[in-house]
Amino acid sequence: MSDLMRAAAFTETGGPEVLKMMELPAPQAGPGQVRVRVRAAGVQPFDTAIRAGWMPGYLDDIPFPRIPGNEFAGVIDQVGPDVTGFSAGDEVLGFNVLNCCAEYVVVPAANVTPKPAGVPWEVAGSLTAGVQTAELALDNLGLAAGETLLVHAAAGGVGTAAVQIARRRGATVIGTAREANHDYLRELGGHPRHLRRGTGRPGPRARARRGGRRPRRGRRARA
């Protein structure tokens, strides 16, 4: 087995042109960790901001070369000491702070979960960021069964997850989206509505749906 891996990485900040395919040392799984051979990795606004030079306060200055990528799907090929519940060959999806746009990534075992068999790799590799964002936002709202939730951009990645999670929690979901996506929202269990152009407000049908009771509006979860 090679001690090197290929990775999309950069040695200086800037635009997309700073990303290069590089050969770098392959990480090794330590105690409580698994190593995953990556089949697909997602790209988020966080990654483009890091590439452009932004660094969040909770991260120390990361040395170059830097590897972007915060979500992935792949096959476990190393299991570190003290790890239970996973074995080499398991198909998983998961998350990490950076380093996922590479052939291999090492993460705490708690950061991965089995990949559903029917989910394509490219979908599994871009799943965790949207789902985690939606779940954190709904937890922050304290959404309860029987309540009504209004989700804007409900056909997008975060919106799709928010609609499904809210429905599983017993809430009624009103989702705004283009009319071309209304059937999709109905399949998710939501009630699609349009926004009146230029106002940012639901049209009359959405207001009538709530029956005089203000729906719970999704908001960004606090860090």
Side-chain angles (χ1 to χ4, degrees), residues 170-183:
T172 297
V173 181
I174 299 172
T176 63
R178 294 183 301 169
E179 290 194 12
N181 292 323
H182 283 190
D183 286 343

Side-chain angles (χ1 to χ4, degrees), residues 193-216:
R193 295 294 182 269
H194 69 286
L195 289 177
R196 291 187 298 175
R197 185 178 297 275
T199 68
R201 298 178 179 177
R205 288 178 295 173
R207 293 198 302 274
R209 173 76 190 179
R210 72 191 187 205
R213 181 184 178 187
R214 180 184 292 274
R216 301 290 297 274

Side-chain angles (χ1 to χ4, degrees), residues 63-167:
F64 291 106
R66 296 174 183 167
I67 304 173
N70 290 268
E71 54 185 353
F72 63 89
V75 180
I76 292 176
D77 83 321
Q78 282 185 3
V79 177
D82 305 322
V83 173
T84 60
F86 292 104
S87 302
D90 288 349
E91 297 183 350
V92 296
L93 58 89
F95 66 95
N96 194 51
V97 179
L98 302 178
N99 297 322
C100 297
C101 291
E103 285 188 293
Y104 297 97
V105 64
V106 167
V107 300
N111 285 21
V112 298
T113 191
K115 182 186 83 71
V119 177
W121 286 111
E122 64 272 19
V123 174
S126 59
L127 190 64
T128 60
V131 173
Q132 286 178 314
T133 299
E135 187 164 30
L136 287 171
L138 296 182
D139 287 346
N140 191 51
L141 283 171
L143 183 69
E147 292 189 314
T148 299
L149 178 74
L150 173 61
V151 179
H152 288 306
V158 175
T160 291
V163 171
Q164 294 177 87
I165 294 170
R167 289 292 297 129

